[in-house]
Amino acid sequence: MLEIKDLHAGVEDKKILKGINLTVNPGEVHAIMGPNGSGKSTLASVIAGKEDFEVKKGSISLEGEDLEELAPEERAHKGIFMSFQYPVEIPGVTVTNFMKTAINESRKAKGLEDMPANEMLKLIREKSEMLEIDRKFLSRSLNEGFSGGEKKRNEIFQLAMMEPKLAILDETDSGLDIDALRIVANGVNKLRSKDNAIVVITHYQRLLEYIIPDYVHVLFDGRIAKSGGKELALELEEKGYDWIKQEVVV
Amino acid sequence: MAYTEEELKKELETKEYEYGFYTEIESDTFPKGLNADIVRAISKKKNEPEWMTEWRLEAFRIWESMEEPEWANVHYEKPDFQAISYYSAPKKADPNKTMDDVDPELLEMYRKLGISLDEQKRLQNVAVDIVVDSVSVATTFQKTLEEKGILFMPISEAIQKHPELIKKYMGTVVPKTDNFYAALNSAVFTDGSFCYIPKGVKCPMELSTYFRINEGGTGQFERTLVIADESSYVSYLEGCTAPSRDENQLHAAVVELIALDDAEIKYSTVQNWFPGDSDGKGGVYNFVTKRGLCEKNSKISWTQVETGSAVTWKYPSCILKGDNSVGEFYSIAVTNNFQQADTGTKMVHLGKNTKSTIISKGISAGKSQNSYRGLVQVNSRAENARNFSQCDSLLMGNECGAHTFPYIEAKNKSAQIEHEATTSKIGEDQIFYCNQRGIDTEKAIALIVNGFSKEVLNKLPMEFAVEAQKLLEISLEGSVG
Ligand SMILES: Nc1ncnc2c1ncn2[C@@H]1O[C@H](COP(=O)(O)OP(=O)(O)O)[C@@H](O)[C@H]1O
Ligand SMILES: [Mg+2]
């Protein structure tokens, strides 16, 4: 599904990612952990095609297709979805209108007609119920005045609406209380299938108790310093990141 | 195509004016220049009674003694008033003919403008009067309106048929002496619409006028007069376009609204005069005086979507004379490239318990300058006057400007006046967020701009809100390829 080879990326005079290798197969869930500033969000943004970052070396491909030349919206049309660590406010644009536009633009890119209104309505009803989102919430301006938790839940609502092939969740757990975390994780789990893949970026192993990963990678200073199974997350929780730092130095 | 500030700028620059076609119609155009004889000739051309000719001549003398105003935050080469032709009529248009007789080229022009005079508009319940250059060419739906006693016709026709109403009301809200352009208009106005809603009548459809400048080297000076008699209601829409030309064309209109006791007038404008090209060449100078007078318990609402013109100077205002009267101003002004807009409103509170609301949304892109200028004036006898003003500016890129000039003059201590202002920029983060959801940059900008303008778009009559949204998109987006 996703294949990252020797990826180096950064901003003008700063190297942030320094040789990332990662293969994610259909049906898998990968967790990426690591201390603040290690490059987790940068990795997510580079996969999504954010042009603030320059790819200096290496490649990213999705289902065998090199993404280099593709604009962010084209990557989205191919099935990449990113849940933002810091979702952006768009005043005056309702959640519903935003989703309608997003879905229909993606359909247009695939040569499909707009989704019929009743179908859209059904989809909204189904997904908002799944994530226990109040319908009133959907007529509010996108992320404007939302609490941290509401923003994250709304990201997962969008994920559920768009049904991507590859979902990247960037610190979706931060800002969520334990009940919300369970609801959101539950929503994510429902999307798991043998055909799609999920990359979960997180600080804490808390979320991973609900979304159980097949692999855990530790990102440290722009490199994957260690990979393992789900037990690695527990080990990190116990020993902290210093332990990895020492291993890297050794 | 992902978004960077540079690319956005480029996109905006490649935007083209959709209504920039010129229609070959034989026209009857006056020689350039302005003097008392030209004023007399216009009056004669219109078959006007003598009192009207005298009215015009007086306005002309007033205008001659006035100077063009300089206070607006706009910079442009002053028009040479002797280099303009003050009358141009499409030759084949004859107001007495039926639709079947209308020049097919004119009809084609309406089609390009997206106006249909027939079934489509009928279904939408819109009566349309169309003014091309100086003449009103077709008024649909007159019969249906007449049954209700509603008068809706070209102003030149009203001068002939309803002189008592014209004499009673014309120039009472915007006097000839009001300002330079109003005086000019009073002297040389060539056409425009007249509307009278009788007592207690709710006008069953939107009334609409389209203005179009077609001929080169001409100015357009239309005059609109809307009178809503006691307890009546009318919603009125005006739309404007002009062909792309290198020269600057002058448009100096006067609109007067009169809402008698308990009446309500909604006046909406979608203005899309040619804004000039991306180098700032050509475009319409839009110097307009619009004002409404509110008697007791009446209400006047101005809604405007201003995307066109090279220079705009326009302040639709309300004189809240009657107790408990209400004035509203909802505005979206978009400027791009080298456009300059100085627009806003005046709310003059004279009566007790008068209320006004001002919502202004300015969107600036390119190298344009967008100014809001508003005056809230509370007279000493206006007990319990209330005003709420909100002015929001949205900037795209780093070379444009947004300015806010709110003036408040409160002479009564009981006045409650609130003013809020915000300035924001379309952020790269917002664009990327949309891109990530599969929405390309062009669509993303449209979405953000529509969201920003929503409170005002919602005030437009339904069928025009869609049109206005499209217009916002056209004005701000280029061909992203
Ligand atoms: N647009 C940017 N410009 C400059 N530096 C950046 C930018 N984005 C991220 N960085 C830097 O790159 C490093 C990694 O950031 P980030 O990917 O957000 O880390 P994480 O998500 O792991 O906390 C940090 O040092 C951060 O300051
Ligand atoms: Mg991060």
Side-chain angles (χ1 to χ4, degrees):
Chain A
M1 165 89 54
L2 177 72
E3 180 120 34
I4 301 177
K5 282 189 196 147
D6 195 28
L7 180 69
H8 292 252
V11 288
E12 241 164 55
D13 47 1
K14 184 174 167 145
K15 292 178 184 163
I16 302 174
L17 303 179
K18 304 166 182 172
I20 305 266
N21 288 290
L22 180 68
T23 303
V24 178
N25 294 308
E28 292 178 352
V29 175
H30 288 238
I32 295 178
M33 303 181 74
N36 272 333
S38 57
K40 302 184 297 296
S41 293
T42 303
L43 177 61
S45 299
V46 170
I47 297 170
K50 189 166 188 177
E51 297 202 342
D52 293 8
F53 301 106
E54 193 193 339
V55 174
K56 292 177 174 124
K57 205 175 145 194
S59 67
I60 308 171
S61 62
L62 185 78
E63 297 188 304
E65 185 185 356
D66 193 325
L67 297 181
E68 192 180 338
E69 294 296 322
L70 297 187
E73 66 272 20
E74 292 169 317
R75 298 182 194 208
H77 300 155
K78 301 254 180 237
I80 294 178
F81 180 96
M82 171 171 143
S83 165
F84 284 64
Q85 182 175 1
Y86 304 108
V88 178
E89 296 180 5
I90 307 188
V93 177
T94 62
V95 176
T96 307
N97 186 18
F98 185 68
M99 268 299 93
K100 190 178 92 185
T101 310
I103 286 174
N104 285 335
E105 287 297 299
S106 297
R107 288 173 69 104
K108 197 163 78 188
K110 295 185 188 98
L112 297 171
E113 295 280 302
D114 281 1
M115 184 182 276
N118 56 348
E119 207 176 304
M120 182 81 70
L121 209 67
K122 199 170 139 252
L123 192 65
I124 289 173
R125 194 173 298 141
E126 184 190 318
K127 303 299 183 185
S128 58
E129 271 165 24
M130 178 177 88
L131 291 161
E132 298 180 29
I133 287 173
D134 187 344
R135 293 286 287 283
K136 262 188 248 142
F137 184 82
L138 302 174
S139 60
R140 283 173 58 185
S141 285
L142 188 68
N143 292 320
E144 203 182 25
F146 287 17
S147 71
E150 285 171 333
K151 284 184 184 170
K152 294 306 173 69
R153 198 186 293 214
N154 179 39
E155 291 291 289
I156 301 306
F157 169 68
Q158 295 183 33
L159 167 73
M161 291 286 293
M162 314 244 350
E163 298 182 331
K165 279 188 198 137
L166 175 69
I168 305 166
L169 313 186
D170 191 359
E171 307 229 7
T172 299
D173 45 348
S174 62
L176 292 180
D177 62 34
I178 196 75
D179 291 330
L181 186 74
R182 203 176 295 129
I183 293 162
V184 161
N186 202 13
V188 173
N189 284 330
K190 283 205 181 123
L191 299 170
R192 287 177 80 158
S193 81
K194 63 177 183 9
D195 300 318
N196 56 31
I198 301 171
V199 174
V200 183
I201 294 171
T202 181
H203 246 7
Y204 308 104
Q205 83 101 28
R206 198 175 64 148
L207 178 66
L208 304 179
E209 284 171 22
Y210 299 99
I211 305 173
I212 299 174
D214 301 300
Y215 300 94
V216 175
H217 311 277
V218 184
L219 197 60
F220 191 87
D221 190 24
R223 290 184 192 89
I224 291 181
K226 200 171 174 65
S227 296
K230 62 172 186 277
E231 36 336 306
L232 181 55
L234 286 169
E235 209 173 340
L236 282 169
E237 183 92 338
E238 222 172 276
K239 300 189 190 166
Y241 290 114
D242 281 350
W243 157 67
I244 300 282
K245 203 190 296 182
Q246 277 154 25
E247 277 204 0
V248 171
V249 174
V250 173
Chain B
M1 223 330 305
Y3 165 89
T4 64
E5 200 86 350
E6 268 315 300
E7 281 160 339
L8 170 60
K9 249 169 35 202
K10 236 182 268 148
E11 281 163 37
L12 291 167
E13 277 158 14
T14 56
K15 171 233 157 175
E16 280 182 42
Y17 185 67
E18 233 197 11
Y19 301 98
F21 57 89
Y22 165 73
T23 306
E24 278 298 329
I25 307 167
E26 250 193 285
S27 72
D28 173 5
T29 302
F30 272 25
K32 289 178 178 169
L34 182 57
N35 53 47
D37 284 341
I38 290 280
V39 175
R40 273 188 207 97
I42 292 168
S43 191
K44 183 146 187 265
K45 201 87 195 161
K46 296 277 174 190
N47 257 326
E48 285 175 354
E50 179 142 354
W51 57 267
M52 195 69 238
T53 315
E54 285 309 316
W55 198 87
R56 287 175 179 277
L57 285 168
E58 195 194 328
F60 176 69
R61 284 190 291 270
I62 292 166
W63 176 74
E64 275 189 313
S65 71
M66 291 175 119
E67 303 249 346
E68 205 171 346
E70 304 262 3
W71 47 262
N73 186 27
V74 292
H75 305 276
Y76 59 95
E77 208 175 303
K78 297 262 150 37
D80 177 355
F81 292 96
Q82 298 305 333
I84 295 170
S85 164
Y86 288 83
Y87 184 86
S88 169
K91 242 187 193 151
K92 289 180 197 164
D94 176 347
N96 298 321
K97 286 183 183 166
T98 68
M99 280 301 298
D100 296 338
D101 302 319
V102 176
D103 188 331
E105 295 215 30
L106 266 177
L107 290 177
E108 177 61 16
M109 183 168 94
Y110 304 148
R111 200 191 54 75
K112 284 191 209 162
L113 290 169
I115 307 161
S116 68
L117 284 163
D118 37 54
E119 285 317 307
Q120 203 189 326
K121 287 285 175 186
R122 270 167 217 259
L123 285 171
Q124 291 184 353
N125 244 19
V126 178
V128 188
D129 184 19
I130 294 171
V131 179
V132 176
D133 292 333
S134 307
V135 173
S136 186
V137 278
T139 306
T140 58
F141 245 138
Q142 270 210 32
K143 275 219 180 69
T144 327
L145 294 170
E146 265 167 29
E147 283 160 18
K148 294 226 163 215
I150 294 168
L151 308 174
F152 179 46
M153 62 187 70
I155 199 141
S156 48
E157 195 180 324
I159 289 168
Q160 317 264 356
K161 289 192 181 158
H162 305 281
E164 68 302 339
L165 286 171
I166 298 287
K167 276 187 191 164
K168 185 166 174 191
Y169 290 109
M170 190 152 80
T172 58
V173 189
V174 179
K176 290 179 276 232
T177 49
D178 192 77
N179 69 70
F180 183 83
Y181 307 113
L184 177 63
N185 174 287
S186 302
V188 303
F189 74 89
T190 33
D191 225 318
S193 293
F194 170 82
C195 168
Y196 171 80
I197 315 291
K199 265 184 206 168
V201 171
K202 304 248 170 295
C203 185
M205 60 191 73
E206 308 283 343
L207 298 185
S208 162
T209 304
Y210 268 85
F211 295 114
R212 163 139 184 113
I213 302 177
N214 199 44
E215 269 310 289
T218 61
Q220 185 159 359
F221 306 92
E222 76 294 322
R223 183 120 198 157
T224 300
L225 178 59
V226 179
I227 303 154
D229 211 328
E230 292 171 21
S231 304
S232 69
Y233 167 84
V234 64
S235 170
Y236 192 97
L237 185 119
E238 120 198 309
C240 326
T241 59
S244 311
R245 287 185 191 285
D246 287 349
E247 64 192 16
N248 291 108
Q249 284 181 290
L250 178 63
H251 173 252
V254 169
V255 175
E256 294 178 284
L257 308 186
I258 293 146
L260 298 179
D261 293 359
D262 302 297
E264 179 175 350
I265 302 175
K266 271 184 78 151
Y267 195 100
S268 314
T269 304
V270 175
Q271 184 264 116
N272 185 28
W273 297 117
F274 179 52
D277 66 14
S278 57
D279 299 322
K281 204 159 188 254
V284 169
Y285 290 162
N286 191 31
F287 303 137
V288 173
T289 308
K290 292 185 165 177
R291 196 174 302 149
L293 178 76
C294 288
E295 297 286 356
K296 246 189 286 166
N297 304 322
S298 70
K299 178 173 170 183
I300 289 180
S301 248
W302 297 100
T303 304
Q304 58 174 21
V305 178
E306 302 274 319
T307 62
S309 298
V311 181
T312 298
W313 180 100
K314 179 179 171 188
Y315 317 90
S317 304
C318 297
I319 314 287
L320 303 170
K321 175 170 165 243
D323 293 350
N324 311 313
S325 60
V326 177
E328 295 176 336
F329 174 73
Y330 301 101
S331 169
I332 301 169
V334 181
T335 54
N336 194 1
N337 296 317
F338 289 88
Q339 278 176 276
Q340 307 174 66
D342 194 301
T343 182
T345 185
K346 247 196 270 183
M347 292 291 174
V348 181
H349 293 255
L350 300 177
K352 296 190 180 74
N353 306 316
T354 45
K355 231 170 95 179
S356 62
T357 304
I358 299 171
I359 309 279
S360 160
K361 304 274 179 178
I363 300 156
S364 348
K367 294 188 166 65
S368 68
Q369 296 296 327
N370 203 328
S371 302
Y372 166 82
R373 186 182 303 276
L375 169 65
V376 177
Q377 198 177 51
V378 178
N379 192 275
S380 58
R381 281 160 313 171
E383 288 295 321
N384 296 319
R386 277 162 56 192
N387 163 267
F388 174 75
S389 304
Q390 183 186 326
C391 303
D392 299 322
S393 308
L394 186 67
L395 298 168
M396 303 169 85
N398 297 319
E399 289 176 282
C400 54
H403 316 272
T404 311
F405 305 100
Y407 303 96
I408 296 169
E409 293 169 15
K411 295 203 179 107
N412 186 307
K413 285 211 178 86
S414 64
Q416 284 180 43
I417 297 171
E418 277 178 81
H419 179 87
E420 288 174 10
T422 66
T423 301
S424 52
K425 242 180 117 165
I426 292 194
E428 293 188 31
D429 284 351
Q430 286 176 314
I431 302 278
F432 177 64
Y433 189 84
C434 294
N435 288 161
Q436 209 301 305
R437 298 299 187 253
I439 301 166
D440 68 22
T441 300
E442 184 163 339
K443 192 86 191 167
I445 291 170
L447 197 67
I448 294 166
V449 165
N450 277 325
F452 173 78
S453 316
K454 191 162 136 189
E455 288 157 277
V456 177
L457 287 173
N458 284 347
K459 296 288 170 191
L460 286 173
M462 254 287 275
E463 52 270 55
F464 297 112
V466 180
E467 230 170 282
Q469 260 181 39
K470 263 193 264 158
L471 200 57
L472 288 182
E473 289 180 29
I474 296 166
S475 311
L476 285 168
E477 292 158 18
S479 41
V480 182

